[in-house]
Amino acid sequence: MPLRDSELIARPRPPTADWAVQTGGLAFPSGHTSDVTLAAGLIAWLVVRRFTGPVTAWVGSLLAGAYALLIAWTRVYLGVHWPTDVFGSWAFATAWLSGALTLQRLEERETRT
């Protein structure tokens, strides 16, 4: 029997007995993970554009990525999300950031010509 769209998106959270904190809403996707991944990606992008030194850019990007990974791990560790909720959030944020970067580079190319 095929899954309906509502069963893919409106998925319940793990059992409340596994929760280390109280929360509400549905599980997929993890809002915390999406928000932090988008923020970390934008911060890393700004650091790379602002600082020309390769070490500074790498360190800034590494710290932003580590922060996003830490928050994603805590969502699963606290028992309020399934690992696939986190992976779905990363996929969404990566697609969004890739689209934004592509549009920004296209605009830069047009302004140079």
Side-chain angles (χ1 to χ4, degrees):
M1 181 162 121
L3 293 173
R4 296 179 309 210
D5 289 341
S6 62
E7 292 172 337
L8 294 174
I9 302 297
R11 183 172 52 191
R13 292 182 181 270
T16 56
D18 295 339
W19 293 6
V21 295
Q22 290 298 315
T23 190
L26 298 169
F28 186 81
S30 169
H32 282 92
T33 303
S34 295
D35 294 345
V36 168
T37 303
L38 285 169
L42 291 172
I43 289 168
W45 177 51
L46 291 172
V47 166
V48 168
R49 289 182 56 86
R50 172 69 172 99
F51 299 103
T52 56
V55 173
T56 306
W58 274 102
V59 169
S61 298
L62 185 66
L63 289 174
Y67 179 65
L69 287 172
L70 176 68
I71 296 301
W73 176 78
T74 62
R75 306 315 297 161
V76 176
Y77 179 78
L78 293 173
V80 296
H81 282 287
W82 302 104
T84 52
D85 301 336
V86 170
F87 295 138
S89 297
W90 282 336
F92 164 74
T94 300
W96 193 94
L97 290 167
S98 297
L101 181 60
T102 300
L103 290 174
Q104 187 266 334
R105 289 196 174 175
L106 287 173
E107 182 182 345
E108 280 183 353
R109 186 183 301 164
E110 285 183 16
T111 56
R112 281 187 286 206
T113 58

